[in-house]
Amino acid sequence: MKKIVLAIVALLAMNITVAQTLEELKAEKASKKDSIAAIQGRVDAIQGKINAIPGWKKGAFGTIGASLSGFNNWYAKGAPNSSAGNIGITTNAFANLNQPKFFWRNSLNINLGWVKIDDKDIDTDNDSFRSATDVFNITSLYGQKLSDKFAISTLAEYRTTIIDNFNDPGYLDIGVGATWTPITDLVVVIHPLNYNFVFSSGDSVFESSLGAKIVADYTRKLGKVNFKTNLSLFQSYKSADYSNWTWTNSFGYTLWKGIGLGFEFGLRNNKQEALNYATGNLDVGDPTPTFASIDNDLQTYWLFGLNYSF
């Protein structure tokens, strides 16, 4: 009986010891987390001071996404013998110069994608990779500072495609106005005097016009996270049919040596592009489309895959 009592006492003592050790370890872990958070806060504060120092700041990050698949005698599919592939690449780069009396901000966004669907039972189908996403955008903003938050500025922005129909259409915005930087890394451009040059070949629905340009850009790196959102809007004074806007968002999370996971999505509204597409894809007997008759659906794209940064 004594042996049983001693065994129970020993077991209880062991459980109490383990429970105390577990609580102690949890408490130690919590204190370490608090210490890490405090250290990260100091690092972020130092990085903020570094970012405020005049001079060039450069960087780039992007996403690579790909998927490949193949089927043989997979009868549950409509095309049991087929292969498919999807490849996408995005790049966001910037080079910004900040001086006490002026700034010069430059950015580049490229998003290219290819898709392939090959039905092996149909000899006449297209089995090559075709372009799916095709975005090229470069901007340059110069500002003469009036204060820490306001500047008189001029902006040049060029947008086109580079895989198919380079510069057809192509858009070049050149304008002057003011730039507001309410917080670090946020830039708001308001240019009431802006000319939107549109380049296209042959007979086209595209037309250049005078209007207002608004750009809002927020680019930030927080530890392992890269983030960029950019809204570019042109409001034509001639007609709302010539107005357009594009909004792109990019996220990147670094896991190891500049490599991680990334996601990018974009939205666009451009009635001239919608009319040009409708005109080029008419069926026999269809009436000629006009700005008033077309459905100007919202344009979207997205890409998820491996992220890189440097």
Side-chain angles (χ1 to χ4, degrees):
M1 186 66 180
K2 290 182 179 179
K3 292 183 178 179
I4 295 175
V5 172
L6 290 174
I8 293 173
V9 171
L11 183 61
L12 291 173
M14 184 181 299
N15 288 336
I16 293 172
T17 301
V18 171
Q20 289 177 338
T21 302
L22 180 60
E23 293 302 321
E24 290 172 356
L25 290 173
K26 287 183 177 180
E28 185 179 356
K29 179 182 177 181
S31 66
K32 297 296 184 184
K33 283 186 175 180
D34 292 340
S35 299
I36 293 173
I39 293 171
Q40 186 62 53
R42 293 195 294 270
V43 170
D44 291 341
I46 294 172
Q47 185 62 49
K49 293 179 180 179
I50 292 174
N51 293 338
I53 296 175
W56 282 101
K57 302 292 187 300
K58 303 175 184 177
F61 72 98
T63 301
I64 299 175
S67 65
L68 301 172
S69 61
F71 299 89
N72 289 304
N73 302 320
W74 197 266
Y75 297 116
K77 288 174 80 297
N81 300 290
S82 61
S83 62
N86 193 316
I87 301 173
I89 301 172
T90 72
T91 297
N92 294 281
F94 65 89
N96 300 329
L97 175 63
N98 185 32
Q99 295 292 342
K101 294 184 178 180
F102 70 91
F103 60 79
W104 184 23
R105 303 177 63 90
N106 304 276
S107 65
L108 171 70
N109 172 253
I110 299 176
N111 188 310
L112 307 177
W114 297 265
V115 64
K116 166 188 175 179
I117 301 177
D118 178 24
D119 189 336
K120 299 176 183 178
D121 296 325
I122 301 177
D123 295 332
T124 57
D125 72 334
N126 189 343
D127 61 355
S128 61
F129 278 95
R130 292 165 290 170
S131 63
T133 307
D134 195 354
V135 177
F136 178 88
N137 186 33
I138 186 169
T139 64
S140 183
L141 173 69
Y142 176 84
Q144 194 71 30
K145 295 181 180 180
L146 301 178
S147 66
D148 291 339
K149 298 184 181 299
F150 288 95
I152 299 298
S153 57
T154 180
L155 171 73
E157 179 183 77
Y158 178 67
R159 307 184 307 281
T160 186
T161 55
I162 56 179
I163 301 177
D164 294 324
N165 306 319
F166 175 72
N167 204 41
D168 187 18
Y171 304 89
L172 176 62
D173 281 293
I174 298 178
V176 294
T179 293
W180 178 42
T181 52
I183 60 175
T184 303
D185 303 314
L186 175 61
V187 179
V188 180
V189 179
I190 303 174
H191 286 179
L193 186 60
N194 181 93
Y195 200 83
N196 178 236
F197 296 92
V198 185
F199 309 101
S200 62
S201 61
D203 295 332
S204 174
V205 301
F206 296 100
E207 185 171 338
S208 304
S209 63
L210 181 69
K213 184 74 173 181
I214 297 176
V215 176
D217 184 275
Y218 185 74
T219 304
R220 186 83 185 269
K221 182 175 182 180
L222 293 172
K224 296 182 178 181
V225 178
N226 287 291
F227 171 74
K228 178 181 177 67
T229 182
N230 180 277
L231 173 66
S232 178
L233 182 150
F234 171 73
Q235 180 63 49
S236 174
Y237 293 148
K238 186 174 183 178
S239 170
D241 294 332
Y242 303 140
S243 302
N244 62 78
W245 60 265
T246 301
W247 183 29
T248 58
N249 299 271
S250 302
F251 306 87
Y253 183 79
T254 302
L255 296 173
W256 177 75
K257 293 187 177 180
I259 300 175
L261 297 176
F263 177 69
E264 177 165 317
F265 71 92
L267 306 173
R268 175 181 287 174
N269 185 285
N270 191 314
K271 206 167 187 178
Q272 293 184 90
E273 291 180 350
L275 179 57
N276 183 62
Y277 178 81
T279 303
N281 291 272
L282 284 176
D283 293 327
V284 177
D286 287 347
T288 301
T290 64
F291 280 119
S293 66
I294 61 170
D295 293 325
N296 184 26
D297 296 328
L298 182 67
Q299 305 175 44
T300 67
Y301 75 82
W302 64 271
L303 176 68
F304 176 77
L306 290 177
N307 177 262
Y308 58 90
S309 63
F310 52 88

